[in-house]
Amino acid sequence: MTRPLLVVAVAGLLLTSLGALLDTAAFLRAWLAAALTGIALPLGAMAVLMTHNLTGGQWGEPVRRPLKAVAGTLPLMLMLFLPLLFGVRVLFPWTGDLSGLPEVVRHKTFYLNLPFLFARFALYALIWLALAARLSVWRGDRRSTPASAGGLVLWALTTTFFAFDWIMSLEPAWYSDILGLIFMGSALSMALALPFLLPDVYPDADQRPALEGARRDLAHLWLATILFWAFVAFSQYLIIWSADLPHEIRWYAHRGQGGWQWLALAMMTLCGALPFVAMLPARWKRRARPLAVLAALVLLGHALEFAWLVLPAYYPHHWPLGWRSPVALLTVAALGLLLVQQHRLRRPEESP
C-alpha cells in the first residue's frame, strides 16, 4: 500500500497548496479540522498505552505495537499545525479588533493573546513528545510503567486546554468545561477503533482462536469509551439547553441549521448509535471483518465531528460544499498511514 498512499499524499499536498494560494482563509479553516482529526489519533494511542501500562491484561498486548506506531506519528501531526500558527490572525477573531465582539471576550484577553497561545502550544508539544519518548514509542519494545500515572494526569490537562485553544476559542464568547472531555473521548474512541482495521492484529477467530478473548475485551473497552463520549456530549447539550443563555445557545444554533444539522445527525449515528447497537450482540465481537467495518465508520464519524466543531464557527448559516476539507483530510490520513506503515515494518515483534 505504500505507493498508493504516497500518490495520495503527494497529490493532496499539491492540491492543498493550490487551495492555499487561491483562498488562504478557506484553506486554513479546512486544514484546522483535518489537523485536529490527525492529532487526536496519536494522543488517544498514548493514553491507551499508559492505561495498559497501569492495569495490565491481555487485551492490550496485541495492540501495543500498532498503538506505538500510531503514537509515533505525533511529530508529524504537530508539524501540521505550523501553517495554522502562521495563520492565527485569520483563524481566531480575538486576534483583531475586539470592538465588534461581546464584552465578555475583552475580559478574556489575559488568556486569549498570541504570545500566550504560542507558549501554550509549545508546552503541549514538549509534554506530549516527552510522554511519547517515555513510552519508548521510538525505542524498541521497552515498557515504561512508572511514568504512566503522572503521564495520564498531564495528558488529561494538556488535551483539555488544547481543545479550549483550538476549538472553543474559535467562538470566544462561548465556553464549556465539558469540551475537553469530549475531545478526550473522541481521541480514545479513534485510537481504540484503529487496531480493528489491521488484519494482522485481530484476525478471524478460526485463524487465531487465542486472540478472541483479547479482541472481545478490547471491544468492550471501546464500547465503554463510546458511551463515555456520548454521555459527555449529551451532557454539554443538556446543560446549555437547560440554561438557555444567548451566548451559549448561539454555538448550537450555528450547528443546527444550514445543513450542519445533517452533519450532526451523521456524526451521532456513526460515533454513537451505530456502534452501540452493533456491539451489543456477542457474535459481532467474535468476527474481525464486522469490527473492521464498524471501526472505519466510527473513524469517519469522528472526522465529521471535528468538521462540525470547527467549520460552523466560520460558516454559521450554511454548509459550504467544496473540495478543500475532504482533500485536507485525505492528505493528513495518507501521511499518517505512511508513517504508521513504515514504523510497523521496521520494528521487531515486541516481547512483553
Side-chain angles (χ1 to χ4, degrees), residues 175-248:
Y175 56 87
S176 170
D177 296 334
I178 303 179
L179 183 66
L181 293 175
I182 295 175
F183 182 79
M184 284 189 278
S186 300
L188 290 171
S189 176
M190 294 170 70
L192 290 170
L194 194 61
F196 294 110
L197 288 173
L198 305 174
D200 59 328
V201 176
Y202 285 122
D204 287 334
D206 55 353
Q207 299 176 23
R208 296 178 67 181
L211 289 179
E212 184 178 350
R215 179 174 56 205
R216 184 181 62 249
D217 293 342
L218 188 70
H220 290 157
L221 181 60
W222 184 30
L223 179 59
T225 303
I226 289 170
L227 292 177
F228 168 77
W229 172 85
F231 173 75
V232 294
F234 178 74
S235 298
Q236 175 180 273
Y237 174 78
L238 182 63
I239 292 170
I240 291 178
W241 177 82
S242 301
D244 197 21
L245 298 176
H247 65 278
E248 293 181 349

Side-chain angles (χ1 to χ4, degrees), residues 2-14 327 330-331 333-335:
T2 302
R3 183 172 297 177
L5 287 174
L6 188 60
V7 170
V8 173
V10 172
L13 288 173
L14 292 175
V327 167
L330 285 174
T331 304
L335 291 171

Side-chain angles (χ1 to χ4, degrees), residues 146-196:
S148 296
L152 279 174
V153 175
L154 286 174
W155 179 88
L157 289 173
T158 51
T159 51
T160 296
F161 283 96
F162 176 80
F164 291 168
D165 289 348
W166 292 94
I167 300 176
M168 187 188 300
S169 67
L170 299 177
E171 297 182 68
W174 179 75
Y175 56 87
S176 170
D177 296 334
I178 303 179
L179 183 66
L181 293 175
I182 295 175
F183 182 79
M184 284 189 278
S186 300
L188 290 171
S189 176
M190 294 170 70
L192 290 170
L194 194 61
F196 294 110

Side-chain angles (χ1 to χ4, degrees), residues 68-99:
K68 280 192 173 185
V70 174
T73 65
L74 180 62
L76 170 67
M77 298 306 168
L78 288 171
M79 290 176 61
L80 297 181
F81 281 81
L82 291 179
L84 302 174
L85 290 171
F86 284 108
V88 287
R89 296 188 182 276
V90 178
L91 290 171
F92 299 110
W94 46 265
T95 59
D97 184 11
L98 300 181
S99 59

